[in-house]
Amino acid sequence: MVSWLNQLVHTPSTEPLTTVPATVVLGAQWGDEGKGKAIDQLAPQSTWAVRFQGGNNAGHTIVLGDTTIKLHQIPSGVTSPHCNLVLGDGMVIDPWVLEQELDRWHGLTGERPEGKRLFISERASVILPFHRLYDSADKVVGTTGRGIGPAYRDRIERVGIRFADIKGVLADSKKIDDTISRMNQQLRTVGVDQQINAADLASNLQWILDRYGNAIKPTGQMVDIALRNGENVLLEGAQGALLDIDQGTYPFVTSSVVGRANATHGAGIHPGHITECFGITKAYCTRVGNGPFPSELSLEEGPGMHMAQVGHEFGTTTGRPRRTGWLDIVALRDAHRISGYTGLVVTKLDVLGGLDEIKICIGYEMDGKPISFVPTLAEDVARCLPVYETHSGFPELSDEDWIEMADRSRAESSGYDVMPDAVRNIVDRIEQLAGIPVVCVGVGPDRRASIAKVGGPFDIDWAEVTF
């Protein structure tokens, strides 16, 4: 009998690898672009998948037939049993949420990967109940409330607890007392009544050590050795380019550097290893939380409502409705400027099916003057008016129709030629405007629902994949 694990995961390909030795997958918008599916598709060609930043504010979804897997901290390469998984140096990790994810994975597959093929960097920071409580006081940015920002703040202030620090903190009662005093003072400052006590903090840290002790490792060294041995590594980004703490629409951003420059740093290796960097973008735009969004549409009617309903646009992590809008080429070019994508993956193109016309934002106007870049100040971005070009729409197709088209593309090695002309025209125009080769087009949530450029890194022989 085939196990649940074998039904859900890839088997390693024997074909020559096309993305070596380190490949980066990054969000090119405001997050929620479909990075999990891209990682899942590339994982058979890799022996390591490394998350390098962020925490459980990320939400990656993988659809395998009738099974949907939602991940928040575990790398999306988990579906390939030969792929080692790393929660990297640059992450902030919630051990309780991680346990929930691991329990769900165990219930689905029977596997307990922690300490065997899933490893936690000893340099990663621990998200504690204090961080979640502090984060809950935010009323401006619209964070996920998961404690990500406060955990990164503690790291920068050099008072946070890393996984490597837990034993030392437990052995020093003064460190416990000092930490409790600092936490409670900060909670009072932001109006949170609940307090932390020393016994709870010590108990929590001991539980983390007992639960994950065999998985806490010097992962940077492990990944470096793997690369020097000729193994292939996927570096998995979270959030998206416009949420970058330095380059995004500050202050409505995440708490980490999400671009290519941090991919290797957050994994504990050097940038010379990178050979490919794929930007993931929807065929339209979405945004969760507050902040400027130049091409935003109404969720109450028209194309914006269509995108939200057909695209099931609700946050994987928060469940909040995502704001929707037309594809923004100005923002996409800015993302490319920062991360230098070698290829673009356009996802959810199928969602636009059924619209009479499809628009693409090709520029902005601010105070009556044309502008071709994303301004630094959020209030200036909010004043930008989108300049659109309009294209003919295409009919709505069922998920089965799109999968049949994708299967035919692979069987015939015909790539984008299987697409209806109106669909192909949109793909070609995105490639021209962005100045980045489109290497794959997502046409549905399922793993098989992708049409890849012939001979490209996403041109996968699905006959070698076990569902």
Side-chain angles (χ1 to χ4, degrees):
M1 180 180 292
V2 179
S3 70
W4 261 104
L5 179 61
N6 288 335
Q7 290 176 346
L8 291 175
V9 300
H10 298 303
T11 54
S13 173
T14 57
E15 294 300 313
L17 302 177
T18 57
T19 54
V20 295
T23 297
V24 187
V25 174
L26 302 173
Q29 297 174 312
W30 281 279
D32 306 306
E33 303 95 347
K35 296 179 290 294
K37 180 179 177 181
I39 291 287
D40 172 62
Q41 292 173 327
L42 292 174
Q45 304 181 77
S46 301
T47 49
W48 294 80
V50 183
R51 268 283 306 276
F52 61 85
Q53 49 76 224
N56 58 305
N57 54 341
H60 294 169
T61 301
I62 301 170
V63 179
L64 312 176
D66 295 330
T67 301
T68 298
I69 300 171
K70 294 183 182 294
L71 303 170
H72 299 281
Q73 296 176 119
I74 298 174
S76 300
V78 68
T79 53
S80 289
H82 67 285
C83 193
N84 296 298
L85 312 167
V86 170
L87 280 64
D89 302 354
M91 287 189 69
V92 290
I93 299 168
D94 188 318
W96 293 272
V97 173
L98 180 58
E99 183 179 51
Q100 293 171 5
E101 285 188 71
L102 289 168
D103 285 348
R104 285 195 297 270
W105 180 253
H106 178 260
L108 195 61
T109 67
E111 184 193 15
R112 286 286 185 191
E114 53 270 38
K116 298 173 184 175
R117 69 178 182 108
L118 183 144
F119 306 102
I120 299 170
S121 168
E122 59 188 11
R123 295 177 180 269
S125 295
V126 182
I127 296 176
L128 293 164
F130 156 74
H131 297 112
R132 295 194 296 271
L133 289 169
Y134 191 93
D135 206 12
S136 68
D138 168 66
K139 298 295 186 290
V140 177
V141 176
T143 73
T144 59
R146 300 300 198 265
I148 309 302
Y152 273 119
R153 185 201 60 179
D154 279 1
R155 175 183 286 189
I156 297 303
E157 291 184 355
R158 296 177 290 279
V159 295
I161 298 174
R162 303 173 303 167
F163 283 87
D165 301 325
I166 294 176
K167 286 183 180 180
V169 173
L170 283 170
D172 188 338
S173 60
K174 186 177 185 303
K175 285 184 178 179
I176 292 283
D177 291 340
D178 289 347
T179 300
I180 288 298
S181 176
R182 173 181 59 82
M183 288 179 171
N184 288 333
Q185 181 179 358
Q186 290 178 355
L187 289 175
R188 287 191 294 269
T189 300
V190 295
V192 176
D193 293 332
Q194 187 171 340
Q195 298 283 280
I196 309 293
N197 64 61
D200 286 345
L201 177 59
S203 176
N204 286 335
L205 292 175
Q206 188 61 57
W207 175 81
I208 295 168
L209 198 60
D210 293 341
R211 178 67 180 82
Y212 299 107
N214 68 331
I216 300 170
K217 302 291 183 184
T219 56
Q221 285 87 341
M222 295 168 70
V223 176
D224 179 65
I225 290 170
L227 285 164
R228 287 191 280 116
N229 285 337
E231 298 183 50
N232 306 289
V233 174
L234 274 173
L235 303 177
E236 177 176 344
Q239 291 82 46
L242 278 298
L243 295 177
D244 186 278
I245 185 66
D246 295 325
Q247 304 294 337
T249 51
Y250 184 91
F252 304 100
V253 292
T254 193
S255 304
S256 57
V257 175
V258 306
R260 176 177 183 168
N262 192 38
T264 50
H265 188 76
I269 55 177
H270 70 72
H273 289 296
I274 296 176
T275 56
E276 298 279 9
C277 180
F278 299 121
I280 316 298
T281 176
K282 287 176 180 169
Y284 52 98
C285 282
T286 61
R287 179 167 194 166
V288 173
N290 301 330
F293 185 178
S295 66
E296 184 171 13
L297 299 168
S298 171
L299 290 174
E300 304 301 322
E301 60 182 359
M305 183 177 71
H306 173 97
M307 295 168 189
Q309 293 182 348
V310 177
H312 306 289
E313 294 297 353
F314 296 90
T316 303
T317 297
T318 64
R320 292 181 292 182
R322 296 177 184 138
R323 300 153 63 190
T324 61
W326 295 114
L327 177 63
D328 188 333
I329 293 295
V330 180
L332 183 56
R333 284 175 175 164
D334 249 29
H336 180 42
R337 172 177 62 85
I338 299 304
S339 287
Y341 305 129
T342 58
L344 198 63
V345 177
V346 178
T347 64
K348 304 188 84 166
L349 184 59
D350 57 299
V351 171
L352 300 182
L355 294 175
D356 292 334
E357 59 182 27
I358 295 169
K359 294 184 179 181
I360 300 175
C361 173
I362 59 172
Y364 300 155
E365 283 188 3
M366 188 172 71
D367 300 334
K369 298 179 180 179
I371 183 172
S372 59
F373 59 89
V374 179
T376 298
L377 295 176
E379 51 264 39
D380 286 346
V381 181
R383 288 161 50 214
C384 288
L385 300 176
V387 176
Y388 292 119
E389 65 176 32
T390 302
H391 299 264
S392 299
F394 53 88
E396 180 180 3
L397 299 176
S398 68
D399 287 347
E400 291 74 19
D401 288 337
W402 284 113
I403 289 176
E404 187 277 331
M405 189 187 303
D407 285 343
R408 183 156 44 91
S409 171
R410 286 185 286 271
E412 299 172 355
S413 295
S414 53
Y416 302 155
D417 289 342
V418 300
M419 296 177 177
D421 288 345
V423 178
R424 177 66 184 269
N425 289 341
I426 295 294
V427 175
D428 289 346
R429 189 58 177 152
I430 292 172
E431 184 173 85
Q432 292 165 5
L433 289 169
I436 314 164
V438 175
V439 294
C440 187
V441 178
V443 291
D446 193 86
R447 177 191 278 168
R448 292 163 54 206
S450 292
I451 301 174
K453 181 167 286 188
V454 175
F458 290 86
D459 189 9
I460 299 166
D461 183 359
W462 290 104
E464 296 189 9
V465 176
T466 302
F467 288 95

